[in-house]
Amino acid sequence: MKGKAEVIIGAQWGDEGKGRIVDSLADRVDVVVRYQGGANAGHTVVVEGEKHIFHLLPSGMLYPGKTCVIGNGVVVDPEQFLSEIGELREKRKDKARLVLSEASHVVMPYHKIIDEAEEKRRSKGRKIGTTKRGIGPCYADKVNRIGIRVGDLLDPDSLRMKIIENLEIKNLLLTRIFNLPPIAFDDLMEKALDWGQQMRPYIGDGTAIVNEALDKGRGVLFEGAQGTLLDIDHGTYPFVTSSSAAAGGACIGSGIGPTRIDRVLGVAKAYCTRVGEGPFPTEELGEIGERLREAGGEYGATTGRPRRCGWLDMVALRYAVRVNGLGGIALTKLDVLTGLEQIKVCTAYEIEGRRHEILPSRLPEREDIQLHYESLKGWKEDLANCRRVEDLPPEAREYVRFIEENCKVPVVLIGVGSGREQTILCGL
Ligand code: IMP
């Protein structure tokens, strides 16, 4: 992968295990870039039995000699950033050089308050189930051209003007609409200047660093957050996050041209999960859902919420292949299916008598979708120590083959446990 640009994205609703995939591929590249989302993400990496959860920092942070970039497309909560980097530094695990793009936007305290207040105000059926990390309101300000960027934190005059301009509106919103106390200018200004000083050593030109690395033939990994079906344009809108979680986001969120990308790898769990509200056709509300949740430890890394669980949805996965131009699939958590007699896979939806093998652009209510399933034979063998495809029991190999055949993309990596070494590389 030397000298190549590879994008790693979530091919489902997030939580596919992108962190561990990025971690296991990071040793082959020089630069790891986060390009969208913010502290709503929770990327879990287990190294030598120790669990690290990154919300904002790229998952390559544990590798010495690497450069990690937080790109312009990310929204950065300064307190979260400082606490994550502080914790790593304390453990002496801040092995990589970290560059925070000056063009990334700052999640301000009012964004988090508004996120929570808006969510509370939404009526039943309209709630999104956000992570309350201020993501939506921060991206809204960015698009509305009133956002505060990381670089502004280093320029007191411009910062003052921008905070005044924002508080004028935000305080009206807080007090008049949400019945909440206003935010005091002096406190916020002081805090923001302090964040700037503490973040100063990391702030730089992320776009230049990524492009120069590619110019020099260095390998760059773009680490997507959330997943395709949570993408603001291509996901199950409005039950989505507010950024471009699909592969196209890597260009915008880091400042590289689309022609520079060599390959897009989609990370998909061997089954499906979703946290928060919104459509999830293959969701299993009974025993199977519970079994997957317990065996897979399916509780949100950011909010601790139990994840909704269900069978693998090929209709959604084929859609992810389409909108991301996937060249390969990294299949995670295959081990979680061990012990099931039969494993079901949804291969088509039927809506108003029409068969869909790829997710249509608008999904009707769940009761108006008929799901077509195929059943595959399960296996009983423990997969934890499998390191080659040949080590897998025949039924597990058949399951992988079935996925490849059904979405016409090779499975290039298989995860059989949470450890860095519990990975089968089959085409990388
Ligand atoms: P927000 O990104 O906090 O605005 O949340 C919007 C939706 O995306 C909610 O359904 C969240 O549960 C979901 N979401 C956001 N980040 C993640 C993630 O990293 N993994 C899975 N779901 C996420």
Side-chain angles (χ1 to χ4, degrees):
M1 212 149 75
K2 206 83 186 150
K4 291 225 158 133
E6 180 147 46
V7 181
I8 312 282
I9 56 95
Q12 296 157 331
W13 281 277
D15 306 318
E16 299 91 350
K18 295 174 291 293
R20 63 155 348 274
I21 302 299
V22 171
D23 175 70
S24 55
L25 298 180
D27 68 331
R28 306 159 158 226
V29 300
D30 299 286
V31 183
V32 180
V33 188
R34 265 285 305 266
Y35 59 85
Q36 46 73 230
N40 48 350
H43 292 173
T44 308
V45 177
V46 180
V47 181
E48 289 158 4
E50 196 182 354
K51 188 167 164 180
H52 303 267
I53 299 179
F54 298 115
H55 297 285
L56 261 177
L57 302 184
S59 301
M61 281 305 291
L62 300 172
Y63 277 100
K66 309 287 174 198
T67 298
C68 283
V69 176
I70 297 182
N72 54 277
V74 176
V75 290
V76 180
D77 176 343
E79 277 166 6
Q80 180 68 36
F81 174 87
L82 291 167
S83 114
E84 249 173 78
I85 190 76
E87 203 175 304
L88 269 194
R89 212 185 302 131
E90 228 166 70
K91 292 188 195 156
R92 297 182 186 282
K93 292 273 165 69
D94 57 330
K95 305 268 166 106
R97 173 170 78 120
L98 177 63
V99 179
L100 170 59
S101 170
E102 54 206 340
S104 56
H105 279 248
V106 181
V107 177
M108 298 295 276
Y110 47 77
H111 290 135
K112 289 188 267 186
I113 299 171
I114 293 170
D115 191 1
E116 186 163 1
E118 281 180 335
E119 185 69 5
K120 224 184 250 167
R121 224 176 123 85
R122 283 184 195 112
S123 54
K124 199 166 172 275
R126 301 291 304 159
K127 289 194 191 294
I128 295 167
T130 75
T131 58
K132 301 183 184 146
R133 299 296 178 109
I135 306 299
C138 183
Y139 277 115
D141 280 358
K142 170 179 173 172
V143 176
N144 200 17
R145 296 153 298 187
I146 55 165
I148 294 173
R149 307 211 288 185
V150 163
D152 293 325
L153 299 177
L154 303 179
D155 178 348
D157 291 336
S158 135
L159 182 63
R160 176 170 297 108
M161 261 178 41
K162 290 184 180 185
I163 292 187
I164 289 173
E165 180 190 30
N166 268 286
L167 284 188
E168 262 176 30
I169 312 268
K170 303 304 191 273
N171 277 339
L172 279 178
L173 194 62
L174 291 179
T175 55
R176 302 256 179 103
I177 308 283
F178 297 126
N179 241 333
L180 290 168
I183 290 178
F185 168 80
D186 289 340
D187 290 354
L188 184 54
M189 183 70 195
E190 195 184 321
K191 252 192 202 163
L193 285 173
D194 179 49
W195 293 331
Q197 288 319 305
Q198 292 193 59
M199 287 156 86
R200 187 185 284 277
Y202 304 103
I203 300 175
D205 185 343
T207 297
I209 286 168
V210 174
N211 278 284
E212 280 161 21
L214 289 171
D215 292 345
K216 288 182 186 146
R218 305 218 159 108
V220 180
L221 211 54
F222 295 87
E223 176 182 12
Q226 291 82 49
T228 305
L229 295 158
L230 289 173
D231 180 279
I232 184 75
D233 286 274
H234 304 292
T236 50
Y237 191 89
F239 303 99
V240 294
T241 189
S242 298
S243 66
S244 298
C251 296
I252 305 293
S254 66
I256 60 156
T259 49
R260 304 208 82 154
I261 293 176
D262 292 282
R263 183 165 66 166
V264 183
L265 196 64
V267 185
K269 255 182 224 179
Y271 49 98
C272 279
T273 64
R274 174 166 201 163
V275 62
E277 306 302 319
F280 179 7
T282 63
E283 180 172 16
E284 285 286 326
L285 294 169
E287 200 185 310
I288 287 293
E290 191 56 38
R291 156 102 181 41
L292 292 171
R293 183 157 41 249
E294 289 315 312
E298 297 296 352
Y299 295 88
T302 301
T303 56
R305 290 178 288 178
R307 294 179 184 142
R308 301 156 64 192
C309 297
W311 297 117
L312 183 62
D313 185 341
M314 291 306 303
V315 180
L317 193 53
R318 289 189 198 103
Y319 177 76
V321 169
R322 171 184 278 178
V323 297
N324 295 297
L326 294 189
I329 289 176
L331 189 70
T332 55
K333 292 194 152 182
L334 186 62
D335 53 302
V336 172
L337 300 181
T338 298
L340 288 166
E341 289 278 310
Q342 292 289 320
I343 303 170
K344 283 169 67 179
V345 180
C346 174
T347 50
Y349 297 174
E350 199 176 306
I351 301 168
E352 290 174 355
R354 200 175 141 211
R355 186 180 162 90
H356 293 264
E357 292 191 346
I358 299 185
L359 207 72
S361 56
R362 223 171 133 258
L363 271 184
E365 292 297 317
R366 173 66 188 85
E367 56 271 23
D368 297 323
I369 310 174
Q370 204 190 322
L371 302 178
H372 291 266
Y373 280 104
E374 284 195 34
S375 229
L376 282 89
K377 208 159 168 263
W379 59 88
K380 292 206 167 60
E381 295 86 341
D382 182 8
L383 309 186
N385 295 319
C386 297
R387 295 293 174 270
R388 300 168 312 154
V389 176
E390 305 86 78
D391 300 338
L392 292 172
E395 295 83 359
R397 260 183 277 158
E398 173 54 24
Y399 189 66
V400 174
R401 195 200 59 76
F402 182 86
I403 294 170
E404 289 182 320
E405 195 178 284
N406 266 271
C407 61
K408 310 217 164 21
V409 170
V411 170
V412 295
L413 188 155
I414 303 168
V416 290
S418 58
R420 188 182 259 178
E421 68 295 343
Q422 290 179 301
T423 303
I424 300 174
L425 292 179
C426 33
L428 281 174

